[in-house]
């Protein structure tokens, strides 16, 4: 979370969008704790276990966060960075076995929510 983001400074639509994108990022990147560790993974790396179609499904789900960002007025340059993050996540996730580990480590959705938070904090 952006350190200087005050939720009271956001309008109702921005707060709602931030809540939805945070929930989506948690589901996709950090929903489940790996047994015996404190490390968390989400649906995105689990989907990437299925070659190609799992990575495509993860990318489609990840685009929801970009759509929410566009709806609240995040600038095009930031939206482009968000798409790059998803592209890196999808491309790395498509590598057999190692891709699933890379997908779990990169956490593109969490990065994208941080970009939204930075935009909202800058006012």
């Amino acid at each position: 979370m952006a350190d200087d983001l005050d939720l009271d400074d956001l309008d109702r639509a921005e707060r709602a969008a931030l809540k939805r994108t945070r929930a989506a990022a948690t589901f996709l990147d950090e929903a489940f704790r790996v047994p015996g560790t404190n490390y968390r993974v989400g649906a995105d790396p689990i989907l990437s276990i299925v070659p190609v179609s799992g990575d495509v499904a993860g990318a489609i789900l990840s685009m929801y966060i970009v759509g929410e960002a566009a709806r609240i007025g995040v600038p095009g340059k930031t939206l482009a960075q968000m798409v790059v993050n998803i592209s890196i996540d999808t491309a790395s996730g498509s590598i057999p076995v190692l891709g699933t580990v890379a997908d779990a480590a990169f956490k593109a959705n969490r990065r994208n929510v941080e970009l939204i938070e930075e935009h909202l904090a800058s006012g």
Side-chain angles (χ1 to χ4, degrees):
M1 183 170 150
D3 291 333
D4 52 351
L5 178 61
D6 183 354
L7 296 179
D8 292 332
D9 291 341
L10 305 179
D11 66 33
R12 192 169 71 95
E14 291 169 335
R15 274 194 307 277
L18 186 56
K19 182 178 178 179
R20 288 189 299 269
T21 58
R22 284 176 174 170
T26 296
F27 171 72
L28 291 167
D29 288 345
E30 300 175 334
F32 313 103
R33 187 178 56 81
V34 176
T37 72
N38 286 327
Y39 195 77
R40 302 187 71 78
V41 298
D44 190 26
I46 293 169
L47 286 169
S48 77
I49 293 170
V50 179
V52 183
S53 62
D55 296 304
V56 171
I60 290 169
L61 292 170
S62 294
M63 287 302 294
Y64 167 76
I65 295 171
V66 178
E68 283 283 348
R71 194 176 65 73
I72 61 169
V74 171
K77 182 177 179 180
T78 303
L79 296 174
Q81 180 60 54
M82 294 170 79
V83 172
V84 167
N85 287 342
I86 294 168
S87 299
I88 291 168
D89 188 57
T90 303
S92 66
S94 66
I95 301 166
V97 184
L98 291 176
T100 301
V101 174
D103 202 2
F106 187 65
K107 299 187 186 290
N109 301 294
R110 182 62 51 209
R111 290 171 187 257
N112 286 345
V113 169
E114 289 172 3
L115 289 171
I116 293 170
E117 291 171 346
E118 288 171 12
H119 163 73
L120 293 172
S122 69

